[in-house]
Amino acid sequence: MAGKYQSLRGFRDLLPGETEHWQRFEARAQRLLHAYGFREIRVPHLEATELFTRSVGEATDIVGKEMFTFEAGRDSVTLRPEMTAQVCRAYIQHGMDRLGLNRLSYIGPAFRKERPQKGRLRQFHQIGVELFGEASPEADAEVIALGMAIVTAAGVAGTKLLINSIGDSDTRPAFRDALLEALRPVAEQLCGDCQSRLERNPLRVLDCKKKKCQELSADAPAILDFLSEDARTHFDGVLANLEELGIEAVVEPRLVRGLDYYVRTTFEIRAEGLGSQDTVLGGGRYDGLVRALGGAQITGMGWAAGLERLFIAAGLDDQPVAPELDLYVVTLGPKARRMALPLVQALRAEGVSVSWDSSGHGLGGQMKRAGRSGARFAVLIGDDELSRGQATIKDLAGGGQSEGPIDALGLARWTRDQREREG
RNA sequence: GUGGGCGUAGCUCAGCGGUAGAGUCCCUGACUGUGGAUCAGGAUGUCGUGGGUUCGAAUCCCAUCGCCCACCCCA
């Protein structure tokens, strides 16, 4: 508990050892996204509040109590609680439907003002994709396949794909009424949360984890029975395509996603061992959203995954990455010290990763720093080495010592040879 | 917003009325040119903050802030 200032609740620093995990995942993810033909879009962190209230839904918790909203002069602005609405806004704003830009991906922070806990922070990070203008079952299957690949790329094993169709916006009211009719008589027996859900969003009662509520809603009508002919065909097509791709999907009729804009296909990928935070990726189809935000009638399908949760599910959260470096230059005496900076610069230009200590510590201190830097070899240069024209090179893992080149080009070649020898 | 747990050295934690401790890390030396092992020495704290009880409070009481975990909800 040192220092006067502390990061804000729900906001945290990513330190070296952890950032490497992020970099590795991001590199792998970008390769995958590229392989699927997606191109990255970067949208602002701040947006007009109305964009989110319109798209995510007034009644959702996100809009109701979790947004970081500020008054900026006459405008109300909000730190994005998710990115789909923004990507749609940008899609419309830049006329992307005419530019052939219909496969978009994003990665970055999002903000929700809720009580932090494991795998849930006020600033968290999402990676996601949006596929516009393709309403086919194949599109759904492809987007889901990409989601599975991303989760796998993060190193998560033991995933489970849950899928459902919540029908179209014009058939949902019928289901909602039927559901209400079935649940009203037993409303008293539902848990407190569900009683309020009954009014706000009855579909979510199906999603309640409490046993009693599940029993009470067991005999309630299933949404799949209310699908229109089109929606039913579409859903069957999605399932068939997933099977064709060898992706195992569990139809979960109780799966209801929280955001208002979803229609037809909804799905989540869950990871084992994460408790209530086990949904690592979630998404679905949102065919009416672009239109609702003022664009043309263009369909959409996408998902978002939480990076913090992915890393927890992959078991990476408590495994810091050790530093790696080719060389650490240790100098003795003023002559050697004067040539150190030009030397390390020349080595870097040759693609060798190298560090050194410019603060004038003694040999012991420098060796200690060399050991901690993660360097494979320490290159010792003192008066002896300068007169001999040979550097002393110490193997920091094995402890052995030998002579080696003292000039940049020679050292660079020597380093490359070592790398090759060690694979 | 609700419930529970915890705040003592950079880190992990012990102490639970009588002068603030351990391990680790850090610094110095044994080794006048060698890190990681060993040994010896050293440094480090408004004991989260404010108030109260007491001759005396890290310890008991009250308040407050912060963190963690869970619920709600979600990625």
Side-chain angles (χ1 to χ4, degrees):
Chain A
M1 200 64 42
K4 183 175 172 186
Y5 297 109
Q6 218 77 4
S7 54
L8 295 172
R9 157 180 291 195
F11 290 75
R12 65 169 196 143
D13 303 308
L14 284 172
L15 303 184
E18 204 171 357
T19 48
E20 286 88 349
H21 284 137
W22 288 66
Q23 291 167 356
R24 286 174 195 178
F25 169 72
E26 285 168 21
R28 258 177 265 158
Q30 294 299 358
R31 225 171 296 137
L32 260 175
L33 292 166
H34 182 250
Y36 276 75
F38 281 78
R39 299 179 70 190
E40 185 182 5
I41 180 169
R42 300 194 184 188
V43 290
H45 295 186
L46 206 60
E47 197 85 40
T49 300
E50 196 185 334
L51 177 65
F52 301 116
T53 53
R54 279 286 161 77
S55 59
V56 175
E58 300 272 3
T60 61
D61 273 18
I62 292 179
V63 169
K65 58 180 192 187
E66 294 173 1
M67 294 207 300
F68 277 100
T69 296
F70 310 90
E71 301 312 312
R74 225 170 277 143
D75 305 319
S76 177
V77 297
T78 294
L79 281 170
R80 61 190 193 193
E82 59 120 34
M83 275 93 114
T84 296
Q86 291 187 283
V87 175
C88 291
R89 191 226 76 221
Y91 183 85
I92 298 164
Q93 183 173 336
H94 302 286
M96 291 194 217
D97 51 334
R98 286 139 203 239
L99 300 174
L101 293 171
N102 75 323
R103 296 184 171 223
L104 300 173
S105 72
Y106 58 81
I107 184 165
F111 307 82
R112 291 183 198 173
K113 194 167 163 186
E114 51 188 346
R115 208 68 169 263
Q117 59 186 286
K118 196 176 185 66
R120 170 199 271 162
L121 294 159
R122 287 183 168 188
Q123 176 178 336
F124 62 110
H125 297 79
Q126 287 192 329
I127 184 170
V129 302
E130 316 294 354
L131 171 54
F132 293 102
E134 295 187 31
S136 69
E138 286 82 0
D140 291 16
E142 186 179 357
V143 165
I144 291 171
L146 174 54
M148 292 296 280
I150 288 280
V151 172
T152 303
V156 180
T159 55
K160 192 173 177 188
L161 169 64
L162 302 180
I163 191 166
N164 191 25
S165 176
I166 57 172
D168 292 302
S169 48
D170 55 337
T171 57
R172 199 126 25 107
F175 171 69
R176 194 192 142 108
D177 291 345
L179 186 63
L180 267 174
E181 204 171 312
L183 290 177
R184 276 249 168 74
V186 294
E188 303 268 301
Q189 300 170 59
L190 292 167
C191 71
D193 291 325
C194 282
Q195 292 191 21
S196 59
R197 281 183 189 125
L198 210 51
E199 304 309 318
R200 283 206 332 259
N201 190 353
L203 301 214
R204 295 212 63 84
V205 175
L206 297 175
D207 210 21
C208 186
K209 277 129 202 150
K210 298 216 169 61
K211 259 212 188 92
K212 195 180 230 170
C213 296
Q214 295 219 359
E215 283 165 19
L216 289 170
S217 62
D219 299 328
I223 195 159
L224 290 175
D225 296 333
F226 279 75
L227 297 187
S228 66
E229 189 74 27
D230 272 4
R232 180 76 238 183
T233 309
H234 178 87
F235 189 50
D236 289 341
V238 175
L239 294 178
N241 276 286
L242 286 173
E243 197 176 344
E244 181 112 357
L245 295 176
I247 295 171
E248 198 181 327
V250 178
V251 176
E252 173 50 91
R254 311 174 86 92
L255 177 69
V256 176
R257 313 230 73 252
L259 280 38
D260 277 10
Y261 50 64
Y262 286 119
V263 295
R264 298 198 170 191
T265 312
T266 61
F267 69 99
E268 330 188 320
I269 299 174
R270 293 189 187 169
E272 278 155 16
L274 273 194
S276 58
Q277 244 83 203
D278 62 353
T279 300
V280 111
L281 180 150
R285 181 158 280 287
Y286 47 89
D287 292 343
L289 184 54
V290 171
R291 175 120 201 212
L293 293 177
Q297 175 51 48
I298 289 169
T299 63
M301 167 75 191
W303 51 253
L307 297 195
E308 285 82 0
R309 283 189 193 177
L310 279 177
F311 296 145
I312 291 171
L316 261 39
D317 55 321
D318 51 0
Q319 284 181 32
V321 175
E324 281 175 27
L325 203 64
D326 291 319
L327 306 177
Y328 197 96
V329 171
V330 171
T331 64
L332 283 144
K335 267 192 229 157
R337 205 169 150 195
R338 266 198 302 279
M339 59 170 285
L341 184 54
L343 174 64
V344 296
Q345 286 294 81
L347 283 165
R348 289 161 182 161
E350 290 296 315
V352 174
S353 64
V354 51
S355 188
W356 71 299
D357 175 38
S358 69
S359 55
H361 286 100
L363 181 54
Q366 291 187 60
M367 285 305 293
K368 188 164 208 168
R369 276 153 234 268
R372 261 199 306 208
S373 74
R376 184 71 186 79
F377 298 98
V379 178
L380 282 71
I381 300 174
D383 291 341
D384 292 358
E385 284 78 8
L386 286 172
S387 60
R388 255 186 291 136
Q390 290 276 291
T392 300
I393 299 182
K394 178 157 186 174
D395 180 338
L396 287 169
Q401 205 158 281
S402 61
E403 293 206 327
I406 200 167
D407 64 294
L409 288 179
L411 258 176
R413 203 175 310 122
W414 185 91
T415 305
R416 279 192 287 269
D417 288 349
Q418 284 295 329
R419 279 195 202 139
E420 225 162 88
R421 200 165 308 158
E422 295 173 14

